[in-house]
Amino acid sequence: MIGVIPRPKKRLFLALILASLLIAALSIYGLWMVSFPGLALISEHLPVILGGLLALAIFLVACGVGGIILAILGLPTLSIFQGYAWSAINLLFPVAIRIGKLLDFEKERVERSFIEVSNYLIKKKHIRVKPERLLILTPHCIQQESCPHKITRDVANCRSCGMCQVGDLLRLQKKYGVHVAIVTGGTLARKVIKTLRPQAVLAIACERDLTSGIQDVFPLPVIGILNQRPCGPCCNTRINVEEVEEALRSFIA
């Protein structure tokens, strides 16, 4: 079932995305105005061609923003607009983060809204993959800090003692036949994705790591799940196993 995004997150994200679109349009128009004299000296047709291409780019991004608005309001949208919406959210998000910072919005708040809207758009696409083409990816901070067993190279080294929830992920791996990888950072995460070549990723991490990861692997579909941090960031983090399993089932064909 596709959940409904809370109204405050809708308003915040829509406002930032629309502001980002306006800034992008003004920036492209400024680029065209600056380049117009030089291009006109080369050929009188070049400014028109460049202007047409830039206008087309803005139009496609605007279609994507329109798709975002229709999707998160629960209105029916054509599949082509869903694709544009998914692209627009990833292209405009860096600008939205900077606008949010200027307006004194908490960065984590903007990142959470991005993750929820991104998840919503992914689920609206009804992507289905075989279990062996699905990857569950999480940072190593899910492991108990004092555990002597190294699991970043081989997750099977986990003894499933119950001190952390790595054992829960291994049970999901055995139950559904998906891949599970526990990594130390973005570089290793990208290496794992390059090696396994999954068709979809279920990522568990903090706001910062999820947003950067979704951006890094775009257009690979990713559902992001926020971890729980009872001991603070990057230390003995926890997960909601039921939420992970529900997201996993939404991907599996």
Side-chain angles (χ1 to χ4, degrees):
M1 179 179 294
I2 300 173
V4 177
I5 303 172
R7 190 175 297 275
K9 292 188 177 182
K10 284 182 182 179
R11 289 175 177 171
L12 171 63
F13 194 78
L14 284 177
L16 292 177
I17 286 295
L18 288 172
S20 301
L21 176 61
L22 177 61
I23 290 175
L26 292 175
S27 299
I28 288 178
Y29 177 73
L31 173 66
W32 182 74
M33 289 294 293
V34 169
S35 60
F36 185 94
L39 292 174
L41 291 175
I42 300 173
S43 171
E44 61 180 8
H45 301 297
L46 279 180
V48 177
I49 294 172
L50 178 62
L53 292 174
L54 294 177
L56 177 62
I58 287 295
F59 173 75
L60 293 177
V61 175
C63 287
V65 173
I68 294 172
I69 295 172
L70 292 175
I72 66 178
L73 291 180
L75 299 174
T77 55
L78 297 174
S79 58
I80 188 171
F81 285 107
Q82 292 179 15
Y84 286 146
W86 191 29
S87 300
I89 189 179
N90 283 278
L91 291 173
L92 295 177
F93 178 69
V95 182
I97 280 285
R98 285 166 175 77
I99 295 174
K101 185 176 181 180
L102 288 174
L103 298 177
D104 203 27
F105 286 121
E106 183 184 359
K107 185 178 180 181
E108 285 190 355
R109 182 183 172 193
V110 180
E111 290 171 337
R112 282 193 296 270
S113 66
F114 166 79
I115 293 164
E116 293 218 16
V117 174
S118 177
N119 287 350
Y120 187 81
L121 293 174
I122 291 295
K123 291 175 181 178
K124 288 279 285 185
K125 290 171 70 71
H126 302 292
I127 296 169
R128 296 292 183 268
V129 299
K130 294 180 179 179
E132 62 270 19
R133 302 306 302 274
L134 177 62
L135 170 65
I136 299 178
L137 191 64
T138 183
H140 69 101
C141 56
I142 192 176
Q143 184 182 25
Q144 182 69 22
E145 189 177 29
S146 58
C147 182
H149 305 291
K150 191 172 181 64
I151 58 174
T152 52
R153 290 188 181 275
D154 185 2
V155 72
N157 287 333
C158 174
R159 299 299 186 264
S160 298
C161 64
M163 292 295 291
C164 68
Q165 291 183 287
V166 176
D168 293 326
L169 294 180
L170 291 180
R171 280 189 285 275
L172 291 178
Q173 180 186 42
K174 184 176 180 180
K175 180 178 179 180
Y176 292 99
V178 299
H179 292 283
V180 173
I182 296 174
V183 297
T184 55
T187 301
L188 184 55
R190 287 187 288 271
K191 181 179 179 181
V192 169
I193 290 174
K194 185 177 180 180
T195 301
L196 295 179
R197 296 188 177 277
Q199 292 178 339
V201 176
L202 179 57
I204 307 165
C206 63
E207 291 87 350
R208 182 193 64 185
D209 289 348
L210 281 179
T211 51
S212 63
I214 291 171
Q215 293 280 306
D216 283 348
V217 301
F218 175 76
L220 182 67
V222 178
I223 288 183
I225 296 178
L226 290 171
N227 57 17
Q228 302 162 6
R229 287 151 276 177
C231 300
C234 304
C235 180
N236 299 337
T237 56
R238 307 286 295 175
I239 59 172
N240 183 328
V241 179
E242 290 77 17
E243 183 182 5
V244 173
E245 187 168 8
E246 181 183 355
L248 188 154
R249 285 201 298 261
S250 73
F251 263 144
I252 293 179

